Amino acid sequence: MPVVDQNPKARLESNGSVFRLVLSGDWVLQSGAPSFHELNWDPLQGKKGVGILEINGRDLGRWDTTLLPMLLAAHNFCEEHEVSLNLEGLPEGIRRLFNLATAVPVKTDATHAEDEPGFFRQIGNWAMNFRQGADDWFEFIGRLFLGFMRLARGKAQVRMRDFALVVESTGAMAFPIVSLISFLVGLIITFLGIVVLIRFNAEYYVSYLVGYGMLREMGALMTGIILAGRTGAAFAAQIGSMKVNEELDALRASGVDPVEFLVIPRVLALVLMMPLLVIYSMVVGIISGMAIANVMQNMAPEIFVKGLLEAVTLSDLMLGLIKSVVFGILIAMSGCLRGLQSGNDANAVGVATTQAVVTSITLIVAFNALIDWIAAIYNV
Amino acid sequence: MSKEALIRVENLTMAYGDFVVMRDLNFDVKQGEVMVIMGGSGCGKSTLLRHLIGLQEPAKGEIYYGDTNYTQSDPDRRQKINRRFGVTFQQGALWSSMTLEENVAFTLEEYTNLPPEEIQSLVRSKLSLVGLRGFEQYYPAEISGGMRKRAGLARAIALDPDILFFDEPSAGLDPLSSKRLDQLIMELRDSLGATIVIVTHELESIFDISDRAIFLDTSVRTITAIGHPKAMLKDPPNENVYRFLSRDATKPA
Ligand SMILES: Nc1ncnc2c1ncn2[C@@H]1O[C@H](COP(=O)(O)OP(=O)(O)OP(=O)(O)O)[C@@H](O)[C@H]1O
Ligand SMILES: [Mg+2]
């Protein structure tokens, strides 16, 4: 850290239309250099065309690039007010730096960030974005569909090693978290069920509740949400960083469609793994319910199972499995689409990952309701 | 020159949203020539390459390959044309989940029916051409930036494509590797008859390898010079070209 012996100072002197900016002291980083606007420039503004600004550095101590902002501000001021600038009183080195800094003119047509848009503009933007988002989804679904058609004809270029990798990471590695969450969900359903049912002397029916709950709703829902956070996010991050790294461009340039190549194996992997994980989750949830009922109410496991078998049917299981497949497709598609849509920097990959999770959870909840509604219509 | 134009660019305007990068570009690239794209940093050279290989759509204008209007072609047709390309990207753009060997082998596996041993020996020979023999099993994250660019080059020439696009292949390489790269490019043209479009800042390479060059000028946002760079230097069509080719960094008057 530089030691400041003398505080940096700037003083403005005038003599007719010749103005002199006298710089003194040590202009080094962290010395708290004065800024251009602290001085009173009004008198010089009136000297359009005739004014001269001389910068004098005779008493300048040590200096570094801290001096540059002052000079550039003076330069801009002089250009703007048509006053000539004389830097001859400055050390050679800082003059060279100044020349470099002003060598390339400021690019005026490159200003890109728009000002904060007004209210109606924002609504307009929002509507346009929504429209664009929907278009992107339809296009993506269409291309994925075509990809699957080509796959069926054996013509698709698909990375089957990705399939294996995803199966591995969603399968083996998701087990602990799915176990834990399913156990807790089973516990919660049982606990709540007993607290309510005991008022009607109907604790026996708690197994109905756990059975329906895990098979029809919670198994698929909780597993879906876990995989949205784990796998969907991972898809978005993988594909997003491939985009940043121009790897997707390299694929396209080699005549390979990234949608086909990267998305199909991921969708297939989740379509395979989701049902397996969901069945596992159902089993864990039900066992957990059985255990809690036993602890809280001394309900024997045989009685619990008896109640369970009275209640649930194969169609409840099928409903859960259909949901699991649908959720798997939704998670894989949201993750991949958000990754493909990602912007071109590290920050954008983070945003894409977050969006992937939000999108897939939203879609899971919405489709869950839709499927339940259809099931109710057909009395399933 | 009597040779046919392989790539023809007509009235091409390139833009990002409302921001026009370059407008009204007209030039062609002839069969078997090395065409250098020159211009200051940020002037739109990479953007032009991305247009030529179909990664970006023109705001206006047309690109032809032979008699085919590439800009108006459907995706299938474009994909077919794209398979004649070899492309390197400014940052290498190797596929990070594959080893160098797999990166180079990829298009060979996708588009040929060669047996694995043959693919392997082809891959090794391509890697030797760029001085990377012995790194077959490395992942892109495990090698240096310059090595990645060279590996990208090996990948681009895997299929012996007839049209090559290189985006600053020698930036970040030491003088010797860079010289070897120039030799390789000349060999690709002379022995394999490839047509090469290359973006480079290396003046020495520009003078050595180019048959013709175009100069993209940011100040007027279009091409201000087409021809051989030596001729451009001798008889500069405008001041910016002269300053670029003679490294004159003083302020314009
Ligand atoms: N994704 C993008 N969105 C908006 N503008 C962009 C984008 N990419 C590039 N640009 C703009 O387009 C212009 C040209 O960029 P390009 O990458 O083609 O330059 P270049 O000539 O390749 O430069 P360099 O020699 O530094 O690689 C730049 O001014 C840049 O600001
Ligand atoms: Mg570039």
Side-chain angles (χ1 to χ4, degrees), chain A residues 109 157 161 247 249 254-255, chain B residues 50 96 102 110-111 221:
Chain A
D109 56 354
Q157 295 164 307
R161 214 179 52 179
E247 290 176 45
D249 289 340
S254 325
Chain B
R50 295 173 59 83
S96 50
E102 289 167 337
E110 291 289 325
Y111 301 128
R221 302 203 176 284

Side-chain angles (χ1 to χ4, degrees), chain A residues 18 38 108 162-163 298 372:
Chain A
V18 179
E38 285 170 23
T108 45
D162 280 6
F163 175 77
N298 264 329
D372 281 343

Side-chain angles (χ1 to χ4, degrees), chain B residues 14 23 63-64 99 118 123 141 145 154 170 174 197-198 208-209 244:
Chain B
M14 314 186 291
R23 61 168 63 92
I63 296 163
Y64 291 86
T99 62
E118 200 162 326
V123 168
S170 55
D174 62 281
V197 179
I198 171 169
D208 281 356
I209 64 175
F244 186 89

Side-chain angles (χ1 to χ4, degrees), chain A residues 60-92:
Chain A
L60 204 55
R62 290 174 305 121
W63 57 267
D64 57 21
T65 48
T66 310
L67 197 48
L68 216 43
M70 172 64 95
L71 301 183
L72 291 177
H75 170 75
N76 291 341
F77 177 87
C78 291
E79 297 239 297
E80 192 182 333
H81 295 98
E82 296 178 32
V83 169
S84 61
L85 179 67
N86 182 346
L87 297 176
E88 256 143 50
L90 283 174
E92 181 71 28

Side-chain angles (χ1 to χ4, degrees), chain B:
Chain B
M1 245 188 244
S2 58
K3 282 180 184 165
E4 267 183 60
L6 180 62
I7 312 174
R8 211 164 73 243
V9 173
E10 289 185 357
N11 295 321
L12 175 67
T13 295
M14 314 186 291
Y16 289 100
D18 292 338
F19 171 55
V20 175
V21 181
M22 283 276 150
R23 61 168 63 92
D24 299 326
L25 305 184
N26 282 292
F27 66 95
D28 57 13
V29 181
K30 299 194 166 48
Q31 179 82 47
E33 82 173 340
V34 175
M35 167 63 95
V36 172
I37 302 176
M38 321 184 281
S41 178
C43 72
K45 302 179 296 295
S46 301
T47 309
L48 176 55
L49 274 195
R50 295 173 59 83
H51 278 79
L52 291 177
I53 58 181
L55 294 177
Q56 269 173 259
E57 294 309 310
K60 230 182 69 200
E62 243 87 30
I63 296 163
Y64 291 86
Y65 281 91
D67 295 326
T68 314
N69 185 333
Y70 185 68
T71 308
Q72 307 286 347
S73 298
D74 57 69
D76 273 350
R77 174 127 199 107
R78 277 198 185 192
Q79 234 173 26
K80 270 205 201 84
I81 298 179
N82 275 30
R83 284 178 196 168
R84 297 168 57 196
F85 296 169
V87 182
T88 71
F89 291 82
Q90 203 165 352
Q91 315 297 341
L94 295 174
W95 294 305
S96 50
S97 61
M98 307 185 199
T99 62
L100 295 197
E101 182 164 27
E102 289 167 337
N103 263 283
V104 180
F106 179 73
T107 48
L108 288 166
E109 282 164 359
E110 291 289 325
Y111 301 128
T112 69
N113 294 318
L114 297 173
E117 317 81 64
E118 200 162 326
I119 289 188
Q120 191 178 43
S121 60
L122 275 175
V123 168
R124 302 218 155 144
S125 67
K126 298 285 145 94
L127 284 172
S128 340
L129 279 179
V130 295
L132 282 176
R133 207 38 240 290
F135 290 94
E136 288 83 2
Q137 301 311 322
Y138 280 61
Y139 282 94
E142 298 168 336
I143 58 177
S144 77
M147 290 161 80
R148 262 175 241 158
K149 298 200 81 153
R150 286 187 280 151
L153 190 77
R155 181 179 69 182
I157 59 176
L159 279 176
D160 288 332
D162 32 315
I163 315 173
L164 286 157
F165 298 93
F166 296 146
D167 197 347
E168 302 196 23
S170 55
L173 296 188
D174 62 281
L176 221 57
S177 311
S178 158
K179 189 83 207 161
R180 290 234 319 267
L181 195 95
D182 284 353
Q183 283 168 356
L184 176 61
I185 291 171
M186 306 281 273
E187 273 321 305
L188 292 172
R189 178 192 61 182
D190 297 339
S191 318
L192 303 174
T195 305
I196 299 168
V197 179
I198 171 169
V199 171
T200 180
H201 292 305
E202 305 276 316
L203 281 181
E204 208 180 325
S205 311
I206 293 180
F207 287 118
D208 281 356
I209 64 175
S210 74
D211 293 311
R212 284 191 308 153
I214 58 176
F215 182 75
L216 304 183
D217 192 332
T218 351
S219 61
V220 289
R221 302 203 176 284
T222 190
I223 297 178
T224 56
I226 302 185
H228 193 279
K230 277 186 189 134
M232 283 187 199
L233 191 57
K234 215 182 284 162
D235 181 17
N238 61 61
E239 195 197 8
N240 287 344
V241 180
Y242 176 77
R243 281 152 35 82
F244 186 89
L245 289 174
S246 61
R247 295 180 203 250
D248 177 359
T250 50
K251 269 196 258 190

